[in-house]
Amino acid sequence: MENAYRISLQGVEVSYPKNSNGPGERNVVLNNIRLHIRAGEFLSLVGPTGCGKSTLLRLILGAQRPTRGQVLIDGQPVTRVSRDRGIVFQKYSLFPHLRVLENIAYGPMLEHTAILQRVLHTPAYRRIRRQYLAAAREYLERIGLHPGDGDKYPYELSGGMQQRVAIAQALIMEPKVLLMDEPFGALDHNTRLEMQMLLLEQWQDDRMTIVFVTHDLEEACYVGTRVIGLSQYWSDDAGEPGVGAIIVTDLRTPGGHPKPTAIRATIEFNALLEQVRHEALDPDNRQRLRHFNLTHQDALKPEPLSAAQARQAEEETDA
Protein backbone atom coordinates (compact mmCIF):
# COMPACT_ATOMS: atom_id res chain seq x y z
CA MET A 1 0.00 0.00 0.00
CA GLU A 2 1.22 3.52 -0.82
CA ASN A 3 0.70 4.85 2.69
CA ALA A 4 2.98 2.12 4.07
CA TYR A 5 5.80 4.43 2.97
CA ARG A 6 6.88 7.73 4.49
CA ILE A 7 7.81 9.14 1.05
CA SER A 8 6.51 8.09 -2.36
CA LEU A 9 7.33 9.57 -5.75
CA GLN A 10 4.83 8.46 -8.36
CA GLY A 11 5.76 8.99 -12.00
CA VAL A 12 7.51 12.27 -11.22
CA GLU A 13 8.80 14.28 -14.15
CA VAL A 14 10.49 17.65 -14.07
CA SER A 15 11.06 19.41 -17.38
CA TYR A 16 11.55 22.95 -18.65
CA PRO A 17 10.96 24.60 -22.04
CA LYS A 18 14.17 24.89 -24.04
CA ASN A 19 12.81 28.10 -25.50
CA SER A 20 11.92 30.54 -22.75
CA ASN A 21 9.80 32.54 -25.19
CA GLY A 22 7.03 29.97 -25.44
CA PRO A 23 5.97 26.36 -26.05
CA GLY A 24 8.26 23.93 -27.79
CA GLU A 25 10.82 21.27 -27.06
CA ARG A 26 11.59 20.71 -23.38
CA ASN A 27 14.63 19.74 -21.33
CA VAL A 28 13.75 16.73 -19.18
CA VAL A 29 15.58 16.74 -15.83
CA LEU A 30 13.81 13.86 -14.07
CA ASN A 31 12.12 11.16 -16.15
CA ASN A 32 9.14 9.41 -14.57
CA ILE A 33 10.81 8.80 -11.19
CA ARG A 34 9.21 6.04 -9.08
CA LEU A 35 10.53 5.73 -5.53
CA HIS A 36 9.30 4.47 -2.15
CA ILE A 37 11.10 5.33 1.10
CA ARG A 38 10.09 3.77 4.42
CA ALA A 39 9.84 5.61 7.73
CA GLY A 40 13.17 5.59 9.55
CA GLU A 41 15.26 4.91 6.45
CA PHE A 42 18.53 6.75 5.91
CA LEU A 43 18.73 7.11 2.15
CA SER A 44 21.86 8.43 0.46
CA LEU A 45 21.43 9.91 -3.01
CA VAL A 46 24.37 10.15 -5.41
CA GLY A 47 24.72 10.96 -9.09
CA PRO A 48 26.64 12.97 -11.67
CA THR A 49 26.53 16.75 -11.61
CA GLY A 50 23.33 18.01 -13.20
CA CYS A 51 21.31 14.82 -12.74
CA GLY A 52 18.66 16.50 -10.57
CA LYS A 53 19.58 15.45 -7.02
CA SER A 54 18.80 18.86 -5.53
CA THR A 55 15.67 19.09 -7.67
CA LEU A 56 14.43 15.83 -6.17
CA LEU A 57 15.02 17.23 -2.66
CA ARG A 58 13.06 20.38 -3.50
CA LEU A 59 10.15 18.24 -4.71
CA ILE A 60 10.04 16.32 -1.41
CA LEU A 61 10.39 19.57 0.54
CA GLY A 62 7.48 21.10 -1.36
CA ALA A 63 9.52 24.04 -2.66
CA GLN A 64 9.01 22.88 -6.25
CA ARG A 65 6.15 21.16 -8.05
CA PRO A 66 6.70 18.37 -10.56
CA THR A 67 5.74 18.88 -14.19
CA ARG A 68 3.86 15.59 -13.95
CA GLY A 69 3.30 12.96 -11.27
CA GLN A 70 3.09 13.54 -7.55
CA VAL A 71 5.06 13.34 -4.32
CA LEU A 72 3.36 11.85 -1.24
CA ILE A 73 4.25 12.07 2.45
CA ASP A 74 2.42 9.40 4.45
CA GLY A 75 0.07 8.97 1.51
CA GLN A 76 -0.82 12.67 1.28
CA PRO A 77 0.19 14.85 -1.70
CA VAL A 78 2.93 17.40 -1.09
CA THR A 79 1.63 20.81 -2.15
CA ARG A 80 3.79 23.21 -0.13
CA VAL A 81 6.66 23.45 2.34
CA SER A 82 5.67 22.06 5.76
CA ARG A 83 7.21 21.77 9.22
CA ASP A 84 7.21 17.96 8.94
CA ARG A 85 10.09 18.28 6.45
CA GLY A 86 13.30 19.98 7.53
CA ILE A 87 16.29 20.77 5.34
CA VAL A 88 19.99 21.43 5.92
CA PHE A 89 22.06 22.99 3.14
CA GLN A 90 25.80 23.08 2.48
CA LYS A 91 25.78 26.84 3.10
CA TYR A 92 24.97 27.42 6.74
CA SER A 93 21.40 28.69 7.14
CA LEU A 94 22.08 30.80 10.23
CA PHE A 95 20.95 34.35 10.89
CA PRO A 96 24.09 36.44 11.49
CA HIS A 97 22.32 38.92 13.79
CA LEU A 98 21.05 36.21 16.16
CA ARG A 99 23.01 34.35 18.83
CA VAL A 100 23.34 30.56 18.58
CA LEU A 101 20.49 29.76 20.98
CA GLU A 102 18.23 32.26 19.22
CA ASN A 103 19.09 30.67 15.87
CA ILE A 104 18.15 27.21 17.14
CA ALA A 105 14.92 28.44 18.74
CA TYR A 106 13.92 30.62 15.78
CA GLY A 107 11.67 28.08 14.02
CA PRO A 108 9.37 27.14 16.90
CA MET A 109 9.24 30.73 18.16
CA LEU A 110 8.18 31.93 14.72
CA GLU A 111 5.54 29.20 14.60
CA HIS A 112 4.07 29.89 18.04
CA THR A 113 4.12 33.69 18.23
CA ALA A 114 2.40 36.42 16.25
CA ILE A 115 4.16 39.43 14.72
CA LEU A 116 2.57 41.84 17.20
CA GLN A 117 3.68 39.69 20.13
CA ARG A 118 7.25 39.75 18.85
CA VAL A 119 7.20 43.52 18.29
CA LEU A 120 5.66 44.36 21.68
CA HIS A 121 7.45 41.61 23.65
CA THR A 122 4.19 40.69 25.36
CA PRO A 123 4.14 38.44 28.46
CA ALA A 124 3.03 35.53 26.25
CA TYR A 125 5.96 36.15 23.92
CA ARG A 126 8.45 36.24 26.80
CA ARG A 127 7.04 32.98 28.18
CA ILE A 128 7.29 31.22 24.81
CA ARG A 129 10.77 32.63 24.29
CA ARG A 130 11.96 31.19 27.63
CA GLN A 131 10.39 27.84 26.75
CA TYR A 132 12.14 27.47 23.40
CA LEU A 133 15.46 28.90 24.51
CA ALA A 134 15.46 26.17 27.17
CA ALA A 135 14.72 23.60 24.46
CA ALA A 136 17.51 25.11 22.35
CA ARG A 137 19.96 24.57 25.24
CA GLU A 138 19.08 20.86 25.20
CA TYR A 139 19.78 20.68 21.47
CA LEU A 140 23.02 22.60 21.99
CA GLU A 141 24.14 19.76 24.26
CA ARG A 142 22.90 17.11 21.81
CA ILE A 143 25.04 18.52 18.99
CA GLY A 144 28.14 18.59 21.18
CA LEU A 145 28.59 22.33 21.78
CA HIS A 146 29.35 23.90 25.15
CA PRO A 147 26.76 25.98 27.04
CA GLY A 148 28.85 29.12 26.51
CA ASP A 149 28.60 28.67 22.74
CA GLY A 150 24.90 29.48 22.94
CA ASP A 151 25.64 33.16 23.51
CA LYS A 152 27.97 33.47 20.52
CA TYR A 153 27.15 34.82 17.08
CA PRO A 154 27.64 32.59 14.00
CA TYR A 155 30.78 34.44 12.89
CA GLU A 156 32.43 33.39 16.16
CA LEU A 157 32.02 29.68 15.32
CA SER A 158 34.05 27.40 13.08
CA GLY A 159 32.45 25.91 9.96
CA GLY A 160 31.81 22.59 11.69
CA MET A 161 30.22 24.31 14.69
CA GLN A 162 27.98 26.39 12.41
CA GLN A 163 26.78 23.26 10.64
CA ARG A 164 26.04 21.62 13.99
CA VAL A 165 23.82 24.60 14.80
CA ALA A 166 22.11 24.31 11.40
CA ILE A 167 21.33 20.66 12.15
CA ALA A 168 19.93 21.65 15.57
CA GLN A 169 17.76 24.27 13.83
CA ALA A 170 16.19 21.48 11.79
CA LEU A 171 15.94 18.92 14.61
CA ILE A 172 14.16 21.23 17.08
CA MET A 173 11.18 21.29 14.69
CA GLU A 174 10.93 17.49 15.11
CA PRO A 175 10.41 16.79 11.39
CA LYS A 176 9.29 13.42 10.05
CA VAL A 177 11.74 13.85 7.19
CA LEU A 178 15.16 15.51 7.24
CA LEU A 179 16.52 16.52 3.84
CA MET A 180 20.24 17.24 3.57
CA ASP A 181 21.80 18.80 0.47
CA GLU A 182 25.60 18.41 0.55
CA PRO A 183 25.57 19.38 4.25
CA PHE A 184 29.25 18.60 4.88
CA GLY A 185 30.65 19.59 1.50
CA ALA A 186 32.40 22.74 2.75
CA LEU A 187 34.08 21.08 5.75
CA ASP A 188 37.61 19.70 6.05
CA HIS A 189 38.08 15.92 6.12
CA ASN A 190 38.35 15.42 9.90
CA THR A 191 35.44 17.74 10.66
CA ARG A 192 33.40 15.95 8.02
CA LEU A 193 34.00 12.59 9.73
CA GLU A 194 32.96 14.10 13.07
CA MET A 195 29.76 15.45 11.52
CA GLN A 196 28.92 12.07 10.01
CA MET A 197 29.14 10.49 13.48
CA LEU A 198 27.03 13.30 14.97
CA LEU A 199 24.36 12.82 12.32
CA LEU A 200 24.24 9.06 12.88
CA GLU A 201 23.87 9.64 16.64
CA GLN A 202 20.91 11.97 16.04
CA TRP A 203 19.37 9.46 13.61
CA GLN A 204 19.69 6.70 16.22
CA ASP A 205 17.96 8.87 18.81
CA ASP A 206 15.05 10.05 16.64
CA ARG A 207 14.82 7.50 13.79
CA MET A 208 13.53 10.17 11.44
CA THR A 209 13.60 9.52 7.71
CA ILE A 210 16.70 11.10 6.16
CA VAL A 211 17.37 11.79 2.48
CA PHE A 212 21.04 12.72 2.18
CA VAL A 213 22.56 14.15 -1.02
CA THR A 214 26.32 14.05 -1.36
CA HIS A 215 29.07 13.94 -4.00
CA ASP A 216 31.26 11.92 -1.61
CA LEU A 217 30.56 8.28 -2.45
CA GLU A 218 32.33 6.89 0.62
CA GLU A 219 30.24 9.19 2.82
CA ALA A 220 27.04 8.10 1.06
CA CYS A 221 27.72 4.39 1.54
CA TYR A 222 28.89 4.83 5.13
CA VAL A 223 26.02 6.88 6.55
CA GLY A 224 23.15 5.44 4.50
CA THR A 225 21.12 2.29 5.04
CA ARG A 226 20.29 2.52 1.34
CA VAL A 227 22.07 4.11 -1.62
CA ILE A 228 20.33 5.35 -4.74
CA GLY A 229 22.18 6.36 -7.88
CA LEU A 230 20.41 8.90 -10.08
CA SER A 231 21.88 9.39 -13.56
CA GLN A 232 21.16 10.99 -16.90
CA TYR A 233 23.64 8.59 -18.57
CA TRP A 234 21.60 5.52 -19.52
CA SER A 235 20.11 3.76 -22.52
CA ASP A 236 16.87 1.96 -23.24
CA ASP A 237 16.97 -1.75 -24.01
CA ALA A 238 17.37 -1.00 -27.72
CA GLY A 239 20.53 1.00 -26.97
CA GLU A 240 18.98 4.43 -27.61
CA PRO A 241 20.26 7.19 -25.28
CA GLY A 242 17.84 7.93 -22.44
CA VAL A 243 16.03 11.19 -21.83
CA GLY A 244 16.51 12.88 -18.47
CA ALA A 245 17.72 11.23 -15.25
CA ILE A 246 16.33 8.05 -13.71
CA ILE A 247 17.28 5.73 -10.85
CA VAL A 248 19.96 3.36 -12.16
CA THR A 249 21.13 1.93 -8.82
CA ASP A 250 19.11 1.12 -5.70
CA LEU A 251 20.68 -1.12 -3.09
CA ARG A 252 21.00 -1.79 0.61
CA THR A 253 24.38 -0.98 2.13
CA PRO A 254 26.12 -3.82 4.02
CA GLY A 255 27.52 -3.75 7.54
CA GLY A 256 24.50 -2.85 9.66
CA HIS A 257 23.65 0.64 10.80
CA PRO A 258 25.32 2.63 12.09
CA LYS A 259 28.41 0.98 10.64
CA PRO A 260 31.70 0.62 12.51
CA THR A 261 34.30 3.06 11.21
CA ALA A 262 36.60 0.13 10.44
CA ILE A 263 34.26 -0.96 7.65
CA ARG A 264 35.75 1.75 5.42
CA ALA A 265 38.92 -0.37 5.11
CA THR A 266 37.17 -3.64 4.25
CA ILE A 267 37.22 -5.31 0.84
CA GLU A 268 33.43 -5.55 0.80
CA PHE A 269 32.91 -1.84 1.44
CA ASN A 270 35.44 -0.72 -1.14
CA ALA A 271 33.99 -3.13 -3.70
CA LEU A 272 30.62 -1.45 -3.09
CA LEU A 273 32.17 1.96 -3.75
CA GLU A 274 33.63 0.82 -7.07
CA GLN A 275 30.34 -0.82 -8.04
CA VAL A 276 28.24 2.29 -7.40
CA ARG A 277 30.88 4.54 -8.97
CA HIS A 278 30.75 2.47 -12.18
CA GLU A 279 26.97 2.08 -12.27
CA ALA A 280 25.87 5.56 -11.26
CA LEU A 281 28.72 8.04 -11.69
CA ASP A 282 30.55 7.01 -14.87
CA PRO A 283 29.18 9.04 -17.82
CA ASP A 284 30.75 6.55 -20.25
CA ASN A 285 28.76 3.67 -18.77
CA ARG A 286 25.34 4.05 -20.38
CA GLN A 287 23.67 0.98 -18.92
CA ARG A 288 20.59 -0.45 -20.53
CA LEU A 289 17.41 -0.59 -18.49
CA ARG A 290 17.56 -4.35 -18.00
CA HIS A 291 21.05 -4.11 -16.49
CA PHE A 292 20.21 -1.62 -13.74
CA ASN A 293 21.22 -2.75 -10.25
CA LEU A 294 17.90 -2.47 -8.40
CA THR A 295 18.33 -5.04 -5.64
CA HIS A 296 16.83 -3.14 -2.69
CA GLN A 297 13.59 -4.70 -1.42
CA ASP A 298 11.62 -1.53 -2.21
CA ALA A 299 13.26 -0.81 -5.57
CA LEU A 300 10.79 -0.20 -8.40
CA LYS A 301 11.35 -1.10 -12.02
CA PRO A 302 11.87 2.16 -13.93
CA GLU A 303 9.32 3.08 -16.56
CA PRO A 304 10.99 6.08 -18.23
CA LEU A 305 9.49 7.87 -21.17
CA SER A 306 11.22 7.28 -24.48
CA ALA A 307 12.29 10.23 -26.61
CA ALA A 308 9.11 9.88 -28.67
CA GLN A 309 6.91 9.63 -25.58
CA ALA A 310 8.68 12.62 -24.07
CA ARG A 311 7.94 14.68 -27.20
CA GLN A 312 4.28 13.66 -27.05
CA ALA A 313 4.13 14.54 -23.34
CA GLU A 314 5.75 17.91 -24.14
CA GLU A 315 2.99 18.65 -26.63
CA GLU A 316 0.33 17.72 -24.06
CA THR A 317 2.02 19.89 -21.41
CA ASP A 318 2.31 22.87 -23.76
CA ALA A 319 -1.33 22.45 -24.86
Side-chain angles (χ1 to χ4, degrees):
M1 296 177 61
E2 300 296 346
N3 59 6
Y5 300 97
R6 176 56 40 92
I7 304 169
S8 290
L9 278 73
Q10 301 181 335
V12 166
E13 179 194 309
V14 173
S15 61
Y16 304 94
K18 287 186 176 180
N19 182 358
S20 60
N21 295 325
E25 195 175 356
R26 301 176 71 85
N27 281 317
V28 178
V29 180
L30 299 177
N31 186 338
N32 206 33
I33 300 295
R34 301 168 67 233
L35 174 64
H36 290 328
I37 305 172
R38 294 182 184 271
E41 257 191 307
F42 195 135
L43 184 144
S44 292
L45 178 61
V46 298
T49 299
C51 71
K53 300 183 295 295
S54 294
T55 298
L56 193 147
L57 282 194
R58 289 196 297 271
L59 294 172
I60 297 173
L61 180 64
Q64 181 173 343
R65 301 291 296 276
T67 308
R68 269 189 301 277
Q70 63 179 344
V71 180
L72 307 177
I73 300 292
D74 291 333
Q76 299 301 311
V78 172
T79 58
R80 58 183 177 84
V81 175
S82 169
R83 77 182 311 280
D84 63 3
R85 280 156 278 137
I87 189 163
V88 178
F89 298 100
Q90 177 178 338
K91 184 173 177 58
Y92 321 123
S93 55
L94 305 183
F95 298 102
H97 64 290
L98 297 180
R99 298 178 189 273
V100 165
L101 284 180
E102 293 169 330
N103 263 287
I104 297 174
Y106 185 82
M109 287 183 61
L110 192 65
E111 183 179 42
H112 292 99
T113 59
I115 294 177
L116 194 59
Q117 288 178 311
R118 295 194 290 273
V119 170
L120 298 179
H121 281 226
T122 64
Y125 168 81
R126 292 196 295 272
R127 175 178 54 79
I128 293 170
R129 175 182 165 84
R130 286 194 300 271
Q131 174 187 344
Y132 287 111
L133 286 178
R137 290 188 184 92
E138 295 178 10
Y139 278 92
L140 192 72
E141 182 178 353
R142 280 185 60 174
I143 60 174
L145 294 185
H146 298 294
D149 293 325
D151 293 325
K152 294 179 180 178
Y153 288 96
Y155 73 87
E156 299 179 279
L157 306 179
S158 68
M161 295 169 74
Q162 289 188 50
Q163 199 62 307
R164 287 173 186 259
V165 177
I167 291 173
Q169 267 186 330
L171 293 179
I172 198 171
M173 298 301 292
E174 299 181 341
K176 294 179 181 178
V177 176
L178 182 60
L179 307 170
M180 309 192 79
D181 195 357
E182 289 281 352
F184 309 145
L187 305 179
D188 64 74
H189 178 70
N190 289 336
T191 304
R192 190 167 190 149
L193 296 180
E194 291 176 5
M195 295 302 298
Q196 291 170 12
M197 299 307 297
L198 171 70
L199 179 60
L200 289 171
E201 290 170 3
Q202 304 308 312
W203 178 82
Q204 277 188 291
D205 289 341
D206 297 333
R207 291 288 171 166
M208 73 190 79
T209 305
I210 296 179
V211 182
F212 185 91
V213 168
T214 178
H215 279 94
D216 187 322
L217 186 54
E218 180 181 295
E219 177 176 71
C221 293
Y222 179 72
V223 300
T225 59
R226 177 182 181 186
V227 171
I228 281 182
L230 187 70
S231 179
Q232 66 273 50
Y233 303 114
W234 58 279
S235 300
D236 64 21
D237 284 334
E240 293 296 318
V243 177
I246 62 175
I247 294 170
V248 300
T249 300
D250 186 351
L251 50 83
R252 180 180 177 274
T253 58
H257 207 72
K259 300 172 182 63
T261 55
I263 198 173
R264 298 176 191 262
T266 64
I267 294 175
E268 180 184 23
F269 186 78
N270 283 277
L272 173 67
L273 299 185
E274 290 306 311
Q275 176 185 353
V276 176
R277 183 175 290 111
H278 177 65
E279 293 173 350
L281 301 179
D282 184 355
D284 295 324
N285 180 32
R286 289 184 176 270
Q287 295 183 91
R288 299 192 180 195
L289 284 170
R290 63 177 177 269
H291 296 147
F292 289 176
N293 182 7
L294 306 173
T295 57
H296 192 275
Q297 63 176 0
D298 293 322
L300 297 172
K301 181 180 178 180
E303 297 177 353
L305 299 179
S306 66
Q309 290 171 323
R311 283 192 295 271
Q312 180 180 352
E314 289 162 9
E315 294 171 0
E316 293 173 356
T317 299
D318 293 334

